[in-house]
Amino acid sequence: MNVLIIFAHPERNSLNGALLDIARNELEASGHTVQVSDLYAMKWKTDIDRKDFPSFPADERLKVASASAESFSSHTLTPDVEAEQKKLLWADTVILQFPLWWFSMPAILKGWVDRVYSCGFTYGVGEHSDKRWGDRYGEGTMAGKRAMLIVTAGGWPEHYSSRGINGPIDDILFPITHGILFYPGFTVLPSFVAYRVDRLNEQEFSILSDKFKERIQTLATTSPIPYRNQNDGDYTIPTMLLKSGLEKAGTSGFELHLKAEPHL
Ligand code: FAD
């Protein structure tokens, strides 16, 4: 298996850095091939702007999606973005690893998504008509590949439970797992979240490492989050509303987009 880890932490000698080493060692020891994009070490350009589309006319008003589509199809994206796109195509499994910062990913990782996810590559893919709204949410360029988040958080697990003040972690991460990973077609595994990490002692680190190794060793076999595929008939087109009656009674919010029977 080819595994790509997108690593977004400014300090290699951090808890995240230690988890990255564990992941790499475990995977390589099992015969897998690992590539890491260490975004801070690469000095990744975070903001998407005109410089991302070198062939785009300087005097034309910049519309990011059309400039992105044009540059993607004419192979005139910048080399750093093209290199990341090649890595994504190479990978069977993609991991986004980051500390939770303000209930989301660090800006450098969001910038990786904004720039690498070109139009025609991860969005704007497939037929768009009155019968079909493209290949997305379960279909698309990344179909057949697995993806997962590795997240560290200062907050306690209770703070992120269904009644916790921060809101449920699956809801907080939904824009990433569903919006960024499932959208271009990845099969998304449950996120690995390490809570209450800011003052870990050696014993807690050892417990965390064991749990983490287990998740890394079972990447290929872990059951995915049962998101509903857009084009399997659950949604009306073009409104993209979930048809009524498909959800378990009492379900609301993001949970509506999970199949009622996880393993069907
Ligand atoms: P580090 O600071 O590197 O380490 C954490 C602990 O692990 C330390 O005790 C360290 O000694 C120990 N450790 C590290 N490596 C090892 C090792 N090899 N062996 C043994 N022990 C080790 N948290 C939230 O829950 N929600 C938020 O919205 C949120 N927003 C934040 C916003 C910002 C800007 C910042 C700076 C923090 C925020 N936090 C938030 C907290 C943040 O998520 C944590 O600080 C972060 O996840 C810790 O990960 P780290 O890799 O930086 O840990």
Side-chain angles (χ1 to χ4, degrees):
M1 182 165 73
N2 292 339
V3 183
L4 172 63
I5 305 177
I6 311 298
F7 178 76
H9 196 289
E11 172 58 62
R12 195 60 185 75
N13 189 21
S14 57
L15 175 64
N16 270 274
L19 294 177
L20 175 63
D21 291 339
I22 292 173
R24 180 170 225 157
N25 292 341
E26 287 298 310
L27 289 164
E28 288 180 346
S30 307
H32 304 301
T33 309
V34 180
Q35 285 198 71
V36 176
S37 290
D38 180 343
L39 299 184
Y40 282 91
M42 291 158 71
K43 302 200 186 315
W44 181 258
K45 173 179 176 286
T46 298
D47 50 332
I48 191 165
D49 61 15
R50 203 173 268 277
K51 289 196 276 304
D52 283 294
F53 315 111
S55 63
F56 191 76
D59 54 353
E60 228 174 86
R61 185 169 79 87
L62 177 67
K63 287 176 80 180
V64 171
S66 12
S68 172
E70 175 56 35
S71 304
F72 176 71
S73 64
S74 60
H75 306 286
T76 56
L77 291 162
T78 55
D80 59 344
V81 167
E82 281 189 345
E84 294 306 297
Q85 292 183 345
K86 273 201 193 116
K87 290 183 203 169
L88 281 170
L89 294 175
W90 164 87
D92 305 301
T93 297
V94 175
I95 292 174
L96 306 184
Q97 185 188 346
F98 56 94
L100 193 66
W101 281 358
W102 289 110
F103 304 99
S104 189
M105 53 172 75
I108 200 167
L109 179 54
K110 179 58 165 46
W112 180 90
V113 177
D114 287 350
R115 296 184 59 233
V116 174
Y117 270 34
S118 299
C119 185
F121 184 54
T122 50
Y123 69 103
V125 175
E127 176 191 334
H128 284 73
S129 65
D130 53 355
K131 295 198 181 54
R132 197 176 165 88
W133 198 290
D135 297 349
R136 57 173 200 167
Y137 292 121
E139 294 173 290
T141 306
M142 303 304 153
K145 300 174 187 289
R146 300 190 139 216
M148 173 181 151
L149 305 183
I150 296 173
V151 183
T152 60
W156 298 19
E158 294 87 341
H159 304 175
Y160 289 100
S161 64
S162 57
R163 295 172 69 85
I165 189 158
N166 290 345
I169 194 71
D170 288 343
D171 284 6
I172 288 167
L173 297 178
F174 184 88
I176 308 175
T177 53
H178 190 262
I180 291 174
L181 296 178
F182 191 56
Y183 189 105
F186 284 111
T187 297
V188 188
L189 307 186
S191 304
F192 179 87
V193 184
Y195 298 97
R196 212 174 170 172
V197 295
D198 281 321
R199 277 180 289 275
L200 277 191
N201 59 37
E202 282 301 327
Q203 195 196 355
E204 289 163 336
F205 177 78
S206 160
I207 294 167
L208 171 64
S209 306
D210 288 346
K211 276 196 206 149
F212 183 61
K213 282 181 192 166
E214 208 262 327
R215 278 303 305 275
I216 292 297
Q217 284 158 358
T218 53
L219 273 184
T221 52
T222 299
S223 295
I225 305 173
Y227 290 136
R228 298 174 189 275
N229 280 15
Q230 170 181 281
N231 294 320
D232 279 0
D234 288 2
Y235 298 91
T236 54
I237 299 173
T239 53
M240 305 316 304
L241 292 170
L242 181 66
K243 292 177 182 167
S244 59
L246 292 183
E247 71 274 26
K248 251 192 306 185
T251 308
S252 63
F254 294 143
E255 219 186 325
L256 285 171
H257 304 293
L258 298 176
K259 285 179 223 159
E261 296 294 333
H263 298 294
L264 288 184

